[in-house]
Amino acid sequence: MEDIMRVATMTNLFRDQRGSDTLIGYIESMRRCKAAGFDVLDLNMCAMSTGKTEFNNSDWMHQADKVREEAEKLGIVFSQSHPPYRPTKFPHFKNQEDEDYFNEITRRSIIISGMMGVKWAVMHPVTSIENGEYNLKEDIASNHEVFDPVIELAAKENVGIAFENMCDRDNKRRFGTTTFELKSLIDSFNTDMVGACWDIGHGNRVYMDSVRPIREMGKYIKALHVDDNHGIGDDHLVPFLGNINWEGVMKALKEIGYEGDFVYEIKINDHMPDALKDSAAKFVAEVGRYLVSLSE
């Protein structure tokens, strides 16, 4: 493990605005994250799916340059990114136009990740439903069909792909919920450029034990999504507001020699009045520093 794990957050900590569909832009979000105490960020690009970000415009490369330049001025490092995620069920799309659109925003997100110096872009594995439920071979084949070209492009951009552990939803299975499935998927690519992003909240929902699966994943874990819940819903709470054993989690991360950052994926500010967002973010940063101190 590095001398100290860096406390980080996704840019969407400042993105949504109460009572409005208009999103806060990346540059304002970065500035406010920095002021709250975050020098390391995850560039969350999930909102590209709805067409609401600067990167959806025809001048997306110029917009990405502006973000990169501002990050350099602020002394911000992007260690992770979260590209848009596909509909869970393979083959996903109702028509070719929708698929072409998604492939284009995925391509942009990988190129932008490379521009920002991102080490790991986090992707959701897909679930095959056409050829049988709980079919490991078919699920892995479907993921290769989707992600082989993505991983090829990411390698050119010097960006690793980290597959996130999923959790079942709406009484429907999702591939990649278990450590066995996630390891099997990663091993099938046979490259160091593919690893795992362990979503601690997802792990709590699936296992009702946050520590054991981290130990089982071990060195496969290259990135984190840090959030809390009560083992039922995907609440994306600040740590200690759910029932996750955070002391055990931090000990397990140290035991496996995790070398990445402590990256929040939380919703504390999604519906917060703007006047309270900055103080909430500072509190979140303080919680992160406390947790990281447990792994020193």
Side-chain angles (χ1 to χ4, degrees), residues 228-255:
D228 208 338
N229 58 51
H230 295 278
I232 301 172
D234 205 17
D235 303 316
H236 293 276
L237 300 174
V238 178
F240 301 112
L241 298 185
N243 64 10
I244 288 176
N245 173 12
W246 287 102
E247 292 83 358
V249 164
M250 301 311 296
K251 181 180 179 182
L253 290 172
K254 183 174 183 178
E255 287 174 358

Side-chain angles (χ1 to χ4, degrees), residues 121-137:
V122 178
M123 310 292 284
H124 292 191
V126 299
T127 303
S128 177
I129 60 170
E130 290 190 329
N131 298 309
E133 297 283 331
Y134 299 98
N135 189 321
L136 181 67
K137 181 178 179 181

Side-chain angles (χ1 to χ4, degrees), residues 8 10-11 33 46 57 94-95 112 149 202 231 241 244 251 260-261:
M10 291 187 180
T11 51
C33 286
C46 295
N57 303 326
K94 296 179 180 178
N95 55 59
I112 292 168
H202 288 177
L241 298 185
I244 288 176
K251 181 180 179 182
D261 294 318

Side-chain angles (χ1 to χ4, degrees), residues 2 30 34 61 69 158 161 178 227 239 282 287 289:
E2 297 177 351
M30 288 160 46
K34 174 72 175 184
M61 284 284 283
E69 290 169 2
N158 199 33
I161 297 297
T178 69
D227 57 290
K282 290 177 182 178
V287 173
R289 288 191 292 271

